[in-house]
Amino acid sequence: MSYRFFKSSWSGVVPSIKRLHSFVSLTRRYRHISDFAGEFESWKSMEALRRCSANHVPLSPITFLERAAKVYRDSTSLVYGSYNYTWAQTHQRCLKLASALSQLGISPGHVVATFAPNVPAMYELHFAVPMAGAVLCTLNSRLDSAMVSVLLTHSEAKVVFVDHKLLEIARGALDLLAKTNKPPPILILISKWDDDSSPTSLEPGTYEYESFLETGHMGFEIRRPKSEWDPISINYTSGTTSKPKGVVYSHRGAYLNSLATLLLHRMQSMPVYLWTVPMFHCNGWCLAWGIAAQGGKNICLRNVSPKEIFENIALHNVTHMGGAPTVLNMIVNSPDRKPLPHKVDITTGGSPPPPQILYKMEELGFRVTHLYGLTETYGPGTYCIWKPEWDSLPLAEQSKLKARQGMQHVGLEEVDIRDPVTSKPVPADGKTMGEIMFRGNTVMSGYFKDLQATEEAFSGGWFRSGDLAVKHPDGYIEIKDRLKDIIISGGENISTVEVETVLYSHPAVLEAAVVARPDNHWGQTPCAFVKLKEGFDVDAQELIRFCRDNLPHYMAPKTVIFEELPRTSTGKIQKYLLREKAKALGSLS
Amino acid sequence: MSYRFFKSSWSGVVPSIKRLHSFVSLTRRYRHISDFAGEFESWKSMEALRRCSANHVPLSPITFLERAAKVYRDSTSLVYGSYNYTWAQTHQRCLKLASALSQLGISPGHVVATFAPNVPAMYELHFAVPMAGAVLCTLNSRLDSAMVSVLLTHSEAKVVFVDHKLLEIARGALDLLAKTNKPPPILILISKWDDDSSPTSLEPGTYEYESFLETGHMGFEIRRPKSEWDPISINYTSGTTSKPKGVVYSHRGAYLNSLATLLLHRMQSMPVYLWTVPMFHCNGWCLAWGIAAQGGKNICLRNVSPKEIFENIALHNVTHMGGAPTVLNMIVNSPDRKPLPHKVDITTGGSPPPPQILYKMEELGFRVTHLYGLTETYGPGTYCIWKPEWDSLPLAEQSKLKARQGMQHVGLEEVDIRDPVTSKPVPADGKTMGEIMFRGNTVMSGYFKDLQATEEAFSGGWFRSGDLAVKHPDGYIEIKDRLKDIIISGGENISTVEVETVLYSHPAVLEAAVVARPDNHWGQTPCAFVKLKEGFDVDAQELIRFCRDNLPHYMAPKTVIFEELPRTSTGKIQKYLLREKAKALGSLS
């Protein structure tokens, strides 16, 4: 066996090797690849490899349904009241629906909208629309006619599926559209699953969902995406800060976020998922697709109330559910609440849940996972991954840890807190605020027809969330505020979230939101909007005193207003409305 | 609101709609997209979208390690005897190792080989080699010098990492290579983790793993794949049927199969995985990467014995492990076996496990998942997904169901049983045999430097496994034989697996393999090779009679030979050697 001489071109390795193996002469001892480069046959790249249908398919959630129809064929796919479907049936129905859409003229790239709560049609459309090659646009079911007409125009939807209880709002929207001389989308009415609706109310030009579906054929050949980058859905943002934007998801991103979200939810084979998260919101955090991947059971609800939640958990052996902190708040403050018959995993996201609510949820028997994300990150992006060593901490301490937004799930490349201006990472000191930035395959493709907004959101090669957070020494992030919500008072930054957390810890407070009130002297001062629990009565002075006892004085609200808080349909408080109110109050000083 | 007239071009939908809604004139009632095509602005594709670093990253398991180093930073990544590492340390070590490799001259596309059992270096190299942009080629640690030299030549490996206990075999291989006048790869000796080894045994031109690693820098910039289709590893097949082939895995396939395998294993956050599956086999069924994705704890073992398995399960609270049926056989027949202190999920694959063994494993407290796949499918491809309704069946019945290979995991597009000649699907009757074929993103890129074999394997757009199976009415597949193993006797097909299953059910039989013996009259007859359990003594006639009592007579072996069965390193019986023996016996009639 012959060894070559070590050449001088190789540096850096020498000193430490030398230290460790000084017992032989280095010059005779070590070799470098360049010593025999050219002596091997040149590395023939990988020319014998073949990319073909056997080993390459564009990633798409459509696969999940096709597999479920085989693997979980006779298992229940979906329950809605007294209706039950199996995965084989759901697959067949989606095929027929896709077929019917294509017979109607829907072609790849067309947008198909929905305007409905979590009824079975919503689940089916999550597969049927992409199977027809089209793009699903799920409108928030709590929008008014004006907003629906704006979004139908912007999305250029060719068809809109409308729940029968939302028909009047939809008709109002179509009337508004008609005034603009643009042809309105074809309306397909969803009325099958409720006894109190009747197809005789159909107007000319309108279809009924079930009979429309029945026109389709099961032999329909699925129009699969040509590229996994093809769009699968458009989700309009809930508009907490500005005009709604159409966030475009790709088949690839939807596939990858579905799997990451399954792992985040700790969903094993055949979970039972109670749909308390609206499917129109980030496609149900991608679980409309994800549940099919695990052959789970979808328990659909038209209305989400604590009574229905507790009934369904017991009736269907629910294993998982989700919801904004509003839903959690509703559960822990409901007279219908009771200890659970078995552990239920609940994920919460949308805004930071007050530790008090987390604590009470755990007491009832829920295992709460706190996640964070935006419409732009397909819903879940980070979560507060639980460390076993935290199990032995006092519950109150656990709740505080759990209220943090945590770390990125497995589908993302990187989440970091960076200075919004310089883009430099902030130190992990738990104090320095920066903007949460995302990078990875589960970040949106961009904003539909809004290149400027897309480029702004991606400037610097990261998706800029607009949320302000700190990074703790253990790397976990914690949101302090929206970039646009932060209050600057006398030169000090005040995190409205921190003030709200203190307000929530007051026994009389049901809901609280803090915004900036303009001030001639301080620039801004904190102004709290509060809703009290029933039967409680405290005044502004008491709450201000409570905040001063629990916060630096400059952070305590100077104004407290008692009223119902305006919310988006996803449960987020519409701070821009409150900011307008606070602005109208004028300066305090 | 104006509605257009229905146009005649739209057919097929009319009759059923008419039936359901005959109460209004169809011609005035329904609309079609083509009615107003052209009136909308033309659909502007998705021109405002941007594919950039914020939302598109080539899929690669490297991400798993980088994320684990942040999310699971201080949690244990790996245990080997008294050695312990955290995820932060493993990440740092891999960075340094990648850096050292690149300083040595390793460039993107170069092949780096390993020749070692499941020692910590094997785990680190699964990340460090791809991080250096190179391709990992893990050689089976049970190969001899001749075979190692063949594979080092074929793979054109520039570096080979060798375990100190395999040094002599490796040196033998390098000596053989030297005779061919090709420069041998640089040898790096793995000796850190065992007390009985010493770096003073290093020969000139040879590095020692730990000091080599120490030459690297933590600031190393990872050489990420340019395309996710780039190769990450080469796995040589174990050679049950013909000359070894180098199966190439891509970063994309490795990423996707890792996630699918995690879901298949029901691995939640931070599992504890006992490495009884060799990492050199399909990169440990992709779990070398997958465990990092879930921040799990890798318990590495040099030698796998029932004693060590039971000790480690108790010591480390093992949650998951895996192994060929040989490992299960070893466990249930060991004097060291004892009921487990807690449930352990064990996945088995490689060959169909006899129901008797499954049954005994469950009795000990293991929860057995049976999976099936080939090197060409990144290891796991299908598994016997358990249905809750089977829980109430008798255990023996459950074992029979579980011995089936089941259905594809979520990473694959389709698995089907098709006629090897016509490629038509066979009926799901549980009787008609066909070839198992795969299609999806977790099928290999091809065979390294073997275009002909690649094209044969992918002919018809499916990966042809060479395994024969039936499809049961519930869609689950069950392997009957290797295409090359099937015995044709008097025109009847005999599944050697079925005969072996009966032999295994005999109380005296420890191991059995059945092959074809040439026959002048019948064409072929079944010939059984059997190893008896210690202390048992039965003769050929008794086993033949037992088979005739439990099988159609034509399927019972005509010959029984008692001897040790030759196995590949992954526990598969080397039937081609037995076939040669049976052939040498000549005709019976």
Side-chain angles (χ1 to χ4, degrees), chain B residues 321-323 327-328 331 344-348 361 366-369:
Chain B
M321 57 180 286
V327 174
L328 273 57
I331 289 173
V344 174
D345 271 294
I346 184 166
T347 46
T348 184
M361 287 293 290
F366 290 94
R367 184 160 44 200
V368 184
T369 299

Side-chain angles (χ1 to χ4, degrees), chain A residues 36-67:
Chain A
F36 47 83
E39 293 180 24
F40 275 132
E41 299 163 43
S42 68
W43 194 78
K44 294 200 187 93
S45 80
M46 287 279 171
E47 63 193 22
L49 310 183
R50 282 289 171 271
R51 189 140 119 185
C52 63
S53 65
N55 63 15
H56 195 275
V57 185
L59 296 173
S60 166
I62 297 171
T63 305
F64 298 152
L65 177 61
E66 295 185 279
R67 178 174 168 273

Side-chain angles (χ1 to χ4, degrees), chain B residues 44 63 122 130 133 138 141 169 283 327 366 376 409 417 570 587:
Chain B
K44 294 198 188 96
T63 305
M122 275 294 272
T138 50
S141 67
I169 299 173
N283 302 111
V327 174
F366 290 94
E376 288 86 343
H409 68 40
I417 312 296
T570 59
S587 171

Side-chain angles (χ1 to χ4, degrees), chain B residues 84 230 394 515:
Chain B
N84 272 277
D230 285 354
V515 298

